[in-house]
Structure formats: C-alpha cells, structure tokens
Amino acid sequence: MTQPSEEEIGQYIAEAGAKAWEVPDLPEETPRRAIKSVGIIGAGTMGGGIAMNFATAGYPIKIVETTQEALDRGLKVVRGNYQRSADKGRFPQEEVEARMGRFEGELSMEALKDCDLVIEAVFEDMELKRKIFTELDRVMKPGAILATNTSALDIDEIAAMTKRPEDVIGLHFFSPANVMKLLEIVRAKHTADDVVATCMDLAKEINKVATLVGVCPGFVGNRILFARQKQANKLVYQGVMPWDVDAALNRFGFKMGPFQMSDLAGLDIGWSKGAKTDNPIRDALCEMDRRGQKTKAGFYDYDENRHPVPSEVTAKVIQDITGADPKEMSAEEIIEVCIYPMINEAVKILEENKAQRPSDVDVVWLNGYGWPHDKGGPMFYGDMVGAPAVLEVMERLGAEDPEFAPAETLRELAKNGGKFTEIDKGGLKV
C-alpha cells in the first residue's frame, strides 16, 4: 500500500472540495431563481433540521405538519437545539428568539403557495411522496422549486406526479441536518439548469458542502453504504460477530461501524411488529424490543451512559438464525470485505454517469459518512491499495454473489495500472 503524506492528502481533499462546486455543462450565465421564502413539509427530525439551516441563514420558514401536536413537538426540538447552542456560547441568547421568529407553523399545504422553494421531508414512502407532489403541483405558484429530501427513492417517479418536472430536484440532507455538512443535490431527468444553479448557490449560502449527483437507488452516498452494509451482514451470517466487524471498521478510522450505526439510528426503521423483512436478525431483535440505543439494547447492550457492550443475547439470536458457528476473522480481512465493495460500487456509479467525477465520491464520504481523513475517500484509498488488490477481493465476492461482480473499469485499471481518482466516463448524465 502506498502511504501518501499528510500534506498530499490535505491537498487532494481541498482540491476535491473545490471541484465539487463546478458543474461542467452548466453555463456560467445561467440565471438564478430568486429564493426569498422556504417551505418545509414535515417537522420531524429531518424537516426541523433542514429548516434550521435556512432560518440560521435568515430565511423566513413555513413548516407544515398534519397535527398541531406534531408541529408543536417539532418546533420545541428546534428551539431546544438553538438554546443548547446559545448555552454553549455559540451565539447570544437574543439570537435564539430571532431565529425562532423566522418560523411559521402551518397545518395545510395551501399555506406554502407563495414560497419560492419547498422541501418535502416526510418519511421514505413512495406513495406518500407521490401524493404530496401531486398536491404541490396544484398549490405552488409557477416557478417555485419543488424539492424532495428522499435518501434513496426515484426522483423521476416523484417528478412525474407534476406537470412541471423541470422544477423538481432532490435536496438530500444528512441527519442531523442542522449539523452534517453534506448536501447531495440530485439532478433528475427533467430538472432545469436554473434550478440546479440556484440550488448549488443556496447550498453555499446555508453553509453546506454540495455535490451534484444523478438518480439511482441511494444516489452516491447511500448506494455505496448499502454495498458495505450487505457485506457486513454477510459476514455475520458466516459467524463473524457484529462487534468484530465494527471493531475492524473503527480501526480503519470510522468512528462508528455498521452495527453501531444501526443501533444509533434505531433498528426499527422500516420495520413494524410481526414484519418479516429480508433481515431476520434485525426482525428478531426488534421483536424482543432490542431496537437500538433508544431501548438500551440492540446488537449491543447499553449501560446508563449508552456505552455499547457485546451482547450474549444477540450472539445467541445470530447463531439460532444463521446456524453458523462463531468465526474469527482478522481486522484486515474484514476491512477488505467491507471497504473494497464500496470502491467497486463507486466505480459502477461513475460508469453509469451518476456522479460528476471520482473526487465527488470522496467529498460525499468525507462530509456525510465520517470517512477517515487520512484515507482521503473511497477513490483515493483505492489508489492507496491499488486496483489489483481490490479486483482480487471483488472476484471472490462476485463469485459468491453476482451483485458484487467487479466493475469492467476496475478490471481495466488493474490491467493497465490506472488510478481510481483519474476515471473519466464523461461525468454526470441524466
């Protein structure tokens, strides 16, 4: 493995961050739409967090919920977040009231009709989003930008519910949205140039790091995350314990491994009582009310300080469901099996023209998922280990599961000594 200097890594990350703002096929003289007011649909964790970015930047916000109770609860959380920042001395106390004064709570979509930008931030349910965009199409004034915060769903399908798909774009914020720097701006098939340009400018204004990406399941960040998660789950089915997988990824430099992350997010996301999903281990843990940190038990047991401890209960559930005997695996091998598929998936994303450039993939993972700084991002790290090493592992994993077959470009890089960070498949195409 080639180990670049700290200076080289820092320089690469800085250049990658600067490049991410450049959209090659967007003319400089593209007009911008005037954004003076913002509407948010949903006052939950995501909606409230997204709204805070705009309120902090001085925008008046209309935030819509279905019930007064949900609205009050959401605004109370927002106030609490601002109050904690003031208590820590980040801004004066009167700023809390100034920011809260920019919020207007509403119980009907009609109230959004004059907003220049509206962002839908309800939970991940295609039928619900289709219904909302049908309604927005009816309610919103001409020229308003209609954005969805979906983290994985097909935005072309959402846009098709309107008579103005050119006004529809994905603005995928990361949770907690008031803290996380990354904003994936998702350009759909019909999104107008001026909508893209306006949203890129807005991202800067609300202090985000933006990358422009295309429509595919999970876009860039989550699509790569899904590849890692699938491999982590496969390891557990082979008898490797979740805490061993997490420990290896912690050693790699992630603050949280996949199972620590699942426990933090809540194992019951996308699960309901009695449900049988494609993740029986998770289902069984949820049925036992082991739903993650919030119930003090998930993959791990948690003490009163939320400190995770490997759980004998989980180990037994895993053995009962998988029938696999506990298996030791070195941290190096776990890292290869979890990280190399991420690199391979990123290459497939570039082959499909769903990202502008390899360095954008690295910007996404550095700013949205806690990728370790000293490893520069999945593409940069691919160059550190070299394409032949990645290919060797992917050929093995691809033989077990065709979904993980090596990308054609990976084979070419391994054969020709090419670099991941220099892949050019023509950039983003919709």
Side-chain angles (χ1 to χ4, degrees), residues 32-338:
R32 306 311 198 247
R33 297 193 187 185
I35 306 295
K36 296 197 168 62
S37 59
V38 178
I40 307 284
I41 301 168
T45 307
M46 280 314 292
I50 292 168
M52 285 178 72
N53 292 292
F54 289 96
T56 298
Y59 285 89
I61 305 294
K62 284 187 175 172
I63 190 162
V64 173
E65 253 303 346
T66 50
T67 66
Q68 189 64 47
E69 185 192 8
L71 189 59
D72 293 344
R73 189 168 56 238
L75 290 172
K76 186 181 170 190
V77 170
V78 169
R79 178 178 282 281
N81 286 337
Y82 279 143
Q83 188 57 56
R84 272 191 296 281
S85 292
D87 293 347
K88 287 176 184 163
R90 291 191 186 133
F91 46 72
Q93 178 59 42
E94 55 268 26
E95 185 62 22
V96 176
E97 295 313 318
R99 292 181 188 191
M100 288 310 297
R102 294 176 193 135
F103 280 83
E104 212 176 298
E106 301 286 355
L107 297 175
S108 126
M109 297 253 259
E110 297 281 347
L112 303 175
K113 66 181 192 294
D114 293 323
C115 291
D116 300 309
L117 163 69
V118 63
I119 303 171
E120 163 275 307
V122 302
F123 56 89
E124 288 288 87
D125 178 292
M126 181 53 98
E127 276 319 299
L128 180 59
K129 290 182 192 284
R130 283 163 59 106
K131 197 172 144 198
I132 286 171
F133 274 76
T134 304
E135 184 73 352
L136 286 177
D137 192 41
R138 184 183 67 76
V139 167
M140 300 303 294
K141 68 180 183 184
I145 295 176
L146 315 182
T148 173
N149 175 57
T150 179
S151 57
L153 297 176
D154 183 343
I155 296 173
D156 291 322
E157 189 180 332
I158 293 170
M161 304 315 294
T162 75
K163 296 181 195 72
R164 39 169 141 179
E166 65 282 359
D167 293 340
V168 178
I169 195 165
L171 294 179
H172 177 211
F173 289 80
F174 286 69
S175 188
N178 50 309
V179 177
M180 295 298 281
K181 295 295 283 182
L182 182 67
L183 175 59
E184 274 186 326
I185 298 181
V186 192
R187 186 177 201 164
K189 194 182 289 179
H190 301 289
T191 309
D193 281 358
D194 64 343
V195 171
V196 174
T198 303
C199 290
M200 293 295 282
D201 284 2
L202 264 179
K204 260 195 178 127
E205 217 176 307
I206 61 171
N207 199 24
K208 294 296 178 198
V209 174
T211 54
L212 188 65
V213 302
V215 175
C216 57
F219 315 127
V220 169
N222 280 343
R223 180 168 161 181
I224 293 170
L225 180 69
F226 297 156
R228 186 183 83 177
Q229 192 67 48
K230 280 179 187 165
Q231 286 300 338
N233 287 340
K234 280 174 186 280
L235 288 177
V236 170
Y237 272 82
Q238 291 162 24
V240 181
M241 287 293 121
W243 30 93
D244 293 334
V245 177
D246 284 343
L249 286 162
N250 296 156
R251 188 166 137 185
F252 181 77
F254 282 106
K255 286 197 170 64
M256 300 192 95
F259 301 101
Q260 291 160 327
M261 210 165 80
S262 296
D263 271 3
L264 177 66
L267 299 188
D268 51 358
I269 293 175
W271 174 89
S272 53
K273 201 153 183 58
K276 296 275 180 279
T277 71
D278 56 4
N279 191 343
I281 295 170
R282 186 274 302 263
D283 298 345
L285 293 172
C286 285
E287 290 292 353
M288 298 163 81
D289 211 33
R290 297 181 66 89
R291 299 185 189 186
Q293 284 194 20
K294 59 187 170 190
T295 57
K296 291 204 171 157
F299 283 102
Y300 294 83
D301 294 327
Y302 291 89
D303 61 19
E304 60 282 357
N305 300 318
R306 290 202 171 190
H307 176 73
V309 181
S311 164
E312 285 177 23
V313 176
T314 301
K316 185 171 182 335
V317 166
I318 290 169
Q319 202 163 3
D320 288 349
I321 288 173
T322 64
D325 291 326
K327 176 180 170 181
E328 295 285 319
M329 191 182 262
S330 72
E332 287 74 20
E333 198 179 343
I334 292 171
I335 287 166
E336 286 177 0
V337 168
C338 289

